[in-house]
Amino acid sequence: MFEFITSRYPHPLHAFGEQVLTDSFPAEERPAIVDLRARENPSFHFDIILEEKTPIGILTHWDFPSFTYIEHFAIVEEMRNKQLGGKVLDQFIQTRPCVVLEAEYPQNELARRRLNFYQRHGLIIAPYPYIQPAYAEGLPSVPLHILSTQKLSLILFEEIKQTLYANVYNR
C-alpha cells in the first residue's frame, strides 16, 4: 500500500517532487516550476508517493467533477523496473471512477513501452485527435493520445479536452 502526500507549497518534500518532475519530463511536457508553485486551484494536487515512508515518486492530478486527470506520474529512476509504477497506478485508479491522462504517440521504443504500460493497467486510448497546448510561450504544442479508464464517447472526450484546456493549460 502506497501513501499519497498531497503537498501544498511550501512543503518539505517539494524539492524532491520538483526534481523528479524536471528529471522525468521535458520542458514542453510540464509547467515551469515557478508556475507550478503559483497554482492555487483547489482541484490541483501535487502528490508525493511514499512507500514505507520513503519518497519514491510523484503524481500530479486534477480532480474535476466527472473525471480525475493525471498530469504527471513518475517513479524515481533508481526505483523503476521494479513494478512499483504499476502498483501505484492501480491503487490510484481504484480510488476514482474515471481517470484520464495524456501519453505520447508510440514514435520510439520508450513511448511504445509507456503506452503499453498504461494499456496493461486498464487505460483505453481515445480514438480522437488531441493536441496538448504549449505550457508556455515559445514551447511547442504536442500531439498526444488521451487515455481513460473508460471508453470515451466523442461528447465526453470533448468535455475532457475543454476542461483540460481551460483549467490546466489556461486556454
Side-chain angles (χ1 to χ4, degrees), residues 25-54:
F25 295 92
E28 63 270 13
E29 293 180 19
R30 63 176 165 76
I33 295 300
V34 66
D35 295 335
L36 186 69
R37 289 177 180 165
R39 285 185 175 172
E40 294 182 2
N41 189 318
S43 297
F44 176 72
H45 305 273
F46 190 118
D47 289 355
I48 307 298
I49 304 163
L50 302 179
E51 181 188 40
E52 298 177 6
K53 302 192 187 290
T54 301

Side-chain angles (χ1 to χ4, degrees), residues 15-120:
F16 166 84
E18 290 171 353
Q19 189 65 54
V20 173
L21 184 70
T22 56
D23 288 349
S24 302
F25 295 92
E28 63 270 13
E29 293 180 19
R30 63 176 165 76
I33 295 300
V34 66
D35 295 335
L36 186 69
R37 289 177 180 165
R39 285 185 175 172
E40 294 182 2
N41 189 318
S43 297
F44 176 72
H45 305 273
F46 190 118
D47 289 355
I48 307 298
I49 304 163
L50 302 179
E51 181 188 40
E52 298 177 6
K53 302 192 187 290
T54 301
I56 63 163
I58 61 162
L59 194 150
T60 66
H61 68 279
W62 297 73
D63 287 323
F64 297 114
S66 60
F67 67 97
T68 294
Y69 166 64
I70 295 177
E71 186 175 11
H72 298 97
F73 172 50
I75 301 297
V76 294
E77 190 170 354
E78 59 271 16
M79 298 299 287
R80 292 181 189 159
N81 300 313
K82 297 180 180 185
Q83 300 182 337
L84 292 172
K87 292 175 184 175
V88 168
L89 185 61
D90 290 344
Q91 180 180 323
F92 185 81
I93 285 172
Q94 290 173 0
T95 65
R96 288 161 169 81
C98 181
V99 174
V100 171
L101 56 80
E102 302 163 334
E104 305 137 285
Y105 288 130
Q107 298 172 338
N108 58 50
E109 183 59 26
L110 182 59
R112 272 189 291 282
R113 288 178 48 212
R114 190 174 294 120
L115 200 56
N116 288 335
F117 166 80
Y118 289 131
Q119 290 178 301
R120 281 193 316 274

